[in-house]
Structure formats: C-alpha cells, structure tokens
Amino acid sequence: MTTKEVKLLDVVALTVDLPEYNLWRGQVGTVVEILADGDAFEVEFSDRNGRTYESMGLRLSQIMVLRFEPASPDSAREMVTV
C-alpha cells in the first residue's frame, strides 16, 4: 500500500494489536489527519454512538484501508505482512 492510497476520511482497520491503548487488530477507525508528509495518519476510533474513545497517530504499516466497492482490474494486488 502506498501513502497515495490513504486519504482523509478513509475508513481503516488496525493491522496490529495496541494493548496499551486497548485497541486490537481489526478495530475500525477514520483517518482525520495526514501527518509527517503522508508517513503517518491521525486515526479516530469511535463507538456506535459516534463518540470518540481514542485518537492517535499511526504508521502506514499499522493500518489498512477498507474498500466498499470492487477493486479496479487495473489496481495492483499487494500482500500486507506484519
């Protein structure tokens, strides 16, 4: 995944556990700020009522963008490993 693929307000999922913040792989958040020239992202995690329970800076290697439409046949496949 490249930084150009992560945009403001993208819905993302954690790819790692962050127990010190009570966040676990698979939890879903929203990109609310692009940091460090696109090397990091402020991600906000909210409950079902829209209340933010955590907001933190994460590296590209810690998140994946969730897709809600089929990928374009022209898009390159990429395997993400932790």
Side-chain angles (χ1 to χ4, degrees), residues 21-81:
Y21 299 102
N22 200 29
L23 294 172
W24 308 98
R25 185 171 54 146
Q27 281 190 271
V28 176
T30 303
V31 175
V32 295
E33 192 72 43
I34 298 174
L35 307 169
D37 294 323
D39 290 332
F41 307 89
E42 183 77 19
V43 178
E44 186 174 279
F45 297 89
S46 302
D47 65 18
R48 292 179 188 254
N49 296 315
R51 289 184 294 249
T52 300
Y53 59 84
E54 189 66 68
S55 183
M56 61 185 312
L58 296 168
R59 295 182 309 274
L60 185 61
S61 63
Q62 296 174 297
I63 59 173
M64 64 178 287
V65 176
L66 299 180
R67 309 282 181 211
F68 297 96
E69 297 178 11
S72 163
D74 298 330
S75 63
R77 292 182 183 197
E78 188 173 323
M79 184 172 180
V80 177
T81 57

